[in-house]
Amino acid sequence: MSAQGEGRGRPGGVVDLHASLLPLAFLVGTWRGEGVGGYEGLEGFHYGQEITFAADGRPALGYVSHTWWADEPRDGREPGSPLATETGFWRVQPGEDGATVIEVTLAHPFGIAEIYVGSVAGTRIDLDHNVVIRTATARDVTRSVRLYGLVEGGDLAYAIDMEAGGKPMQSHLSARLRRVSD
Ligand code: HEM
């Protein structure tokens, strides 16, 4: 590992983790698993997901998530049909009184961008402050909160709640993912 931030990752697969990202070191790698989704008025569904957190020596982890339909065929979707994807960056900043602040910037392909500010304690990350920016044609999502954490067996679990379409904050997604590569 290196404390230097200038590099773009070394050739040969050796990756530097910027020193500021040590609180997020447990996330680095690729994770794969299954989740469940739903919302008020929406029939529940299962999805598959692969997430990669990538370190390249700079002071932010690159993040990309791909998901796919994992239920019986419905509304033109077959098992394996691509669903939501999102991409962005996770960085760590010093907070007040020794706290560790996490800033996450995400882009979605459906006209929405989001910034979360939250905290990390051990292997639990609360992304509890959020702003959503959306185009005129995007779904009416006004706020989201996320919780990520390691659970038994070293799996990564998360829950995402959102406020959308004038409905109160409620669960949209939760999943549990196994590490598939460093
Ligand atoms: C793991 C990632 C995600 C998956 C697998 C997923 C999947 C789905 C599915 C299958 C639906 C219902 C069918 C449809 O309308 O396409 C849906 C609805 C919706 N999703 Fe997601 N989604 C994901 C992430 C997100 C995120 C990050 C947002 C907000 C920024 C979001 C906002 C919405 C909204 C507003 C609806 C409509 C809810 C309603 O019926 O009122 N989704 N999602």
PDB file of all heavy atoms in Angstrom, residues 9-10 29 39-40 57 61 78 88 104 107 120 128 131 147 152 171 176 181:
ATOM      1  N   GLY A   9      -2.533   3.591 -10.324  1.00  0.00           N
ATOM      2  CA  GLY A   9      -2.484   2.137 -10.204  1.00  0.00           C
ATOM      3  C   GLY A   9      -1.308   1.642 -11.008  1.00  0.00           C
ATOM      4  O   GLY A   9      -0.991   2.189 -12.046  1.00  0.00           O
ATOM      5  N   ARG A  10      -0.648   0.630 -10.496  1.00  0.00           N
ATOM      6  CA  ARG A  10       0.545   0.175 -11.203  1.00  0.00           C
ATOM      7  C   ARG A  10       0.195  -0.905 -12.191  1.00  0.00           C
ATOM      8  O   ARG A  10      -0.751  -1.650 -11.979  1.00  0.00           O
ATOM      9  CB  ARG A  10       1.534  -0.392 -10.193  1.00  0.00           C
ATOM     10  CG  ARG A  10       2.105   0.654  -9.287  1.00  0.00           C
ATOM     11  CD  ARG A  10       3.234   0.021  -8.518  1.00  0.00           C
ATOM     12  NE  ARG A  10       3.275   0.549  -7.175  1.00  0.00           N
ATOM     13  CZ  ARG A  10       3.508  -0.185  -6.104  1.00  0.00           C
ATOM     14  NH1 ARG A  10       3.685  -1.477  -6.216  1.00  0.00           N
ATOM     15  NH2 ARG A  10       3.547   0.350  -4.924  1.00  0.00           N
ATOM     16  N   GLY A  29     -12.564  -4.674  -3.891  1.00  0.00           N
ATOM     17  CA  GLY A  29     -12.713  -5.976  -4.525  1.00  0.00           C
ATOM     18  C   GLY A  29     -14.058  -6.065  -5.238  1.00  0.00           C
ATOM     19  O   GLY A  29     -14.766  -5.062  -5.399  1.00  0.00           O
ATOM     20  N   TYR A  39     -41.442  -1.708  -3.242  1.00  0.00           N
ATOM     21  CA  TYR A  39     -41.834  -0.344  -2.895  1.00  0.00           C
ATOM     22  C   TYR A  39     -43.345  -0.355  -2.740  1.00  0.00           C
ATOM     23  O   TYR A  39     -44.009  -1.275  -3.247  1.00  0.00           O
ATOM     24  CB  TYR A  39     -41.417   0.662  -3.999  1.00  0.00           C
ATOM     25  CG  TYR A  39     -41.208   2.049  -3.461  1.00  0.00           C
ATOM     26  CD1 TYR A  39     -40.139   2.339  -2.624  1.00  0.00           C
ATOM     27  CD2 TYR A  39     -42.101   3.087  -3.759  1.00  0.00           C
ATOM     28  CE1 TYR A  39     -39.957   3.608  -2.101  1.00  0.00           C
ATOM     29  CE2 TYR A  39     -41.922   4.355  -3.244  1.00  0.00           C
ATOM     30  CZ  TYR A  39     -40.842   4.604  -2.412  1.00  0.00           C
ATOM     31  OH  TYR A  39     -40.662   5.859  -1.885  1.00  0.00           O
ATOM     32  N   GLU A  40     -43.870   0.645  -2.040  1.00  0.00           N
ATOM     33  CA  GLU A  40     -45.331   0.729  -1.892  1.00  0.00           C
ATOM     34  C   GLU A  40     -45.985   0.689  -3.274  1.00  0.00           C
ATOM     35  O   GLU A  40     -45.612   1.478  -4.148  1.00  0.00           O
ATOM     36  CB  GLU A  40     -45.649   2.069  -1.199  1.00  0.00           C
ATOM     37  CG  GLU A  40     -47.052   2.220  -0.717  1.00  0.00           C
ATOM     38  CD  GLU A  40     -47.233   3.608  -0.078  1.00  0.00           C
ATOM     39  OE1 GLU A  40     -46.314   4.079   0.637  1.00  0.00           O
ATOM     40  OE2 GLU A  40     -48.293   4.203  -0.331  1.00  0.00           O
ATOM     41  N   GLY A  57      -4.782   4.126  -6.254  1.00  0.00           N
ATOM     42  CA  GLY A  57      -3.768   5.011  -5.693  1.00  0.00           C
ATOM     43  C   GLY A  57      -4.277   6.422  -5.435  1.00  0.00           C
ATOM     44  O   GLY A  57      -3.681   7.168  -4.662  1.00  0.00           O
ATOM     45  N   LEU A  61     -12.264   5.625  -4.059  1.00  0.00           N
ATOM     46  CA  LEU A  61     -12.495   4.305  -4.659  1.00  0.00           C
ATOM     47  C   LEU A  61     -13.442   4.480  -5.829  1.00  0.00           C
ATOM     48  O   LEU A  61     -14.453   5.176  -5.714  1.00  0.00           O
ATOM     49  CB  LEU A  61     -13.163   3.362  -3.654  1.00  0.00           C
ATOM     50  CG  LEU A  61     -12.364   2.914  -2.442  1.00  0.00           C
ATOM     51  CD1 LEU A  61     -13.208   1.966  -1.591  1.00  0.00           C
ATOM     52  CD2 LEU A  61     -11.073   2.219  -2.886  1.00  0.00           C
ATOM     53  N   GLU A  78     -36.581 -11.365 -18.430  1.00  0.00           N
ATOM     54  CA  GLU A  78     -36.242 -12.779 -18.241  1.00  0.00           C
ATOM     55  C   GLU A  78     -35.158 -12.840 -17.164  1.00  0.00           C
ATOM     56  O   GLU A  78     -34.449 -11.851 -16.962  1.00  0.00           O
ATOM     57  CB  GLU A  78     -35.609 -13.342 -19.526  1.00  0.00           C
ATOM     58  CG  GLU A  78     -36.454 -13.216 -20.770  1.00  0.00           C
ATOM     59  CD  GLU A  78     -37.575 -14.236 -20.781  1.00  0.00           C
ATOM     60  OE1 GLU A  78     -37.399 -15.304 -20.138  1.00  0.00           O
ATOM     61  OE2 GLU A  78     -38.604 -13.975 -21.415  1.00  0.00           O
ATOM     62  N   GLY A  88     -19.822   5.461  -9.640  1.00  0.00           N
ATOM     63  CA  GLY A  88     -19.430   6.665  -8.915  1.00  0.00           C
ATOM     64  C   GLY A  88     -18.137   6.499  -8.162  1.00  0.00           C
ATOM     65  O   GLY A  88     -17.288   5.671  -8.523  1.00  0.00           O
ATOM     66  N   VAL A 104     -20.037   9.969  -0.999  1.00  0.00           N
ATOM     67  CA  VAL A 104     -20.276   9.070  -2.133  1.00  0.00           C
ATOM     68  C   VAL A 104     -21.037   9.839  -3.216  1.00  0.00           C
ATOM     69  O   VAL A 104     -22.079  10.431  -2.940  1.00  0.00           O
ATOM     70  CB  VAL A 104     -21.102   7.845  -1.682  1.00  0.00           C
ATOM     71  CG1 VAL A 104     -21.421   6.941  -2.873  1.00  0.00           C
ATOM     72  CG2 VAL A 104     -20.355   7.049  -0.609  1.00  0.00           C
ATOM     73  N   ALA A 107     -23.882   8.222 -10.147  1.00  0.00           N
ATOM     74  CA  ALA A 107     -24.675   8.566 -11.339  1.00  0.00           C
ATOM     75  C   ALA A 107     -25.495   7.351 -11.742  1.00  0.00           C
ATOM     76  O   ALA A 107     -25.015   6.211 -11.678  1.00  0.00           O
ATOM     77  CB  ALA A 107     -23.751   8.964 -12.478  1.00  0.00           C
ATOM     78  N   VAL A 120     -18.464   6.144   8.847  1.00  0.00           N
ATOM     79  CA  VAL A 120     -18.052   4.748   8.940  1.00  0.00           C
ATOM     80  C   VAL A 120     -17.644   4.465  10.370  1.00  0.00           C
ATOM     81  O   VAL A 120     -16.981   5.283  11.007  1.00  0.00           O
ATOM     82  CB  VAL A 120     -16.919   4.411   7.941  1.00  0.00           C
ATOM     83  CG1 VAL A 120     -15.694   5.260   8.166  1.00  0.00           C
ATOM     84  CG2 VAL A 120     -16.555   2.929   7.991  1.00  0.00           C
ATOM     85  N   ASP A 128     -26.345   8.619   5.446  1.00  0.00           N
ATOM     86  CA  ASP A 128     -27.649   9.094   5.911  1.00  0.00           C
ATOM     87  C   ASP A 128     -27.984  10.520   5.495  1.00  0.00           C
ATOM     88  O   ASP A 128     -29.070  11.002   5.794  1.00  0.00           O
ATOM     89  CB  ASP A 128     -27.783   8.914   7.435  1.00  0.00           C
ATOM     90  CG  ASP A 128     -26.560   9.384   8.203  1.00  0.00           C
ATOM     91  OD1 ASP A 128     -25.640   9.945   7.578  1.00  0.00           O
ATOM     92  OD2 ASP A 128     -26.529   9.186   9.420  1.00  0.00           O
ATOM     93  N   VAL A 131     -28.431  14.229  -1.237  1.00  0.00           N
ATOM     94  CA  VAL A 131     -29.164  15.106  -2.153  1.00  0.00           C
ATOM     95  C   VAL A 131     -29.300  14.389  -3.480  1.00  0.00           C
ATOM     96  O   VAL A 131     -28.406  13.653  -3.899  1.00  0.00           O
ATOM     97  CB  VAL A 131     -28.486  16.482  -2.382  1.00  0.00           C
ATOM     98  CG1 VAL A 131     -28.595  17.354  -1.143  1.00  0.00           C
ATOM     99  CG2 VAL A 131     -27.052  16.333  -2.836  1.00  0.00           C
ATOM    100  N   LEU A 147     -27.385   1.915   3.994  1.00  0.00           N
ATOM    101  CA  LEU A 147     -26.602   1.322   5.074  1.00  0.00           C
ATOM    102  C   LEU A 147     -25.849   0.137   4.482  1.00  0.00           C
ATOM    103  O   LEU A 147     -26.460  -0.713   3.822  1.00  0.00           O
ATOM    104  CB  LEU A 147     -27.566   0.847   6.169  1.00  0.00           C
ATOM    105  CG  LEU A 147     -26.990   0.016   7.300  1.00  0.00           C
ATOM    106  CD1 LEU A 147     -25.973   0.819   8.093  1.00  0.00           C
ATOM    107  CD2 LEU A 147     -28.118  -0.452   8.226  1.00  0.00           C
ATOM    108  N   GLU A 152     -22.026 -11.787   9.094  1.00  0.00           N
ATOM    109  CA  GLU A 152     -21.371 -13.073   9.367  1.00  0.00           C
ATOM    110  C   GLU A 152     -20.792 -13.674   8.086  1.00  0.00           C
ATOM    111  O   GLU A 152     -21.411 -13.596   7.034  1.00  0.00           O
ATOM    112  CB  GLU A 152     -22.340 -14.121   9.945  1.00  0.00           C
ATOM    113  CG  GLU A 152     -23.450 -13.643  10.823  1.00  0.00           C
ATOM    114  CD  GLU A 152     -24.628 -13.170  10.004  1.00  0.00           C
ATOM    115  OE1 GLU A 152     -25.354 -14.000   9.447  1.00  0.00           O
ATOM    116  OE2 GLU A 152     -24.803 -11.925   9.929  1.00  0.00           O
ATOM    117  N   SER A 171     -38.245   1.116   2.309  1.00  0.00           N
ATOM    118  CA  SER A 171     -37.261   0.237   1.678  1.00  0.00           C
ATOM    119  C   SER A 171     -37.517   0.085   0.170  1.00  0.00           C
ATOM    120  O   SER A 171     -38.645  -0.125  -0.258  1.00  0.00           O
ATOM    121  CB  SER A 171     -37.342  -1.135   2.355  1.00  0.00           C
ATOM    122  OG  SER A 171     -36.505  -2.039   1.671  1.00  0.00           O
ATOM    123  N   ARG A 176     -27.359  -9.161  -0.112  1.00  0.00           N
ATOM    124  CA  ARG A 176     -26.203  -9.729   0.567  1.00  0.00           C
ATOM    125  C   ARG A 176     -25.275 -10.302  -0.499  1.00  0.00           C
ATOM    126  O   ARG A 176     -25.702 -11.091  -1.349  1.00  0.00           O
ATOM    127  CB  ARG A 176     -26.682 -10.828   1.518  1.00  0.00           C
ATOM    128  CG  ARG A 176     -25.558 -11.457   2.298  1.00  0.00           C
ATOM    129  CD  ARG A 176     -26.099 -12.332   3.385  1.00  0.00           C
ATOM    130  NE  ARG A 176     -25.014 -13.031   4.027  1.00  0.00           N
ATOM    131  CZ  ARG A 176     -25.028 -13.445   5.273  1.00  0.00           C
ATOM    132  NH1 ARG A 176     -26.089 -13.246   6.023  1.00  0.00           N
ATOM    133  NH2 ARG A 176     -23.995 -14.085   5.775  1.00  0.00           N
ATOM    134  N   SER A 181     -13.583 -11.558  -5.634  1.00  0.00           N
ATOM    135  CA  SER A 181     -12.159 -11.322  -5.906  1.00  0.00           C
ATOM    136  C   SER A 181     -11.687 -10.111  -5.122  1.00  0.00           C
ATOM    137  O   SER A 181     -12.484  -9.258  -4.751  1.00  0.00           O
ATOM    138  CB  SER A 181     -11.890 -11.129  -7.389  1.00  0.00           C
ATOM    139  OG  SER A 181     -12.374  -9.886  -7.806  1.00  0.00           O
TER     140      SER A 181
END
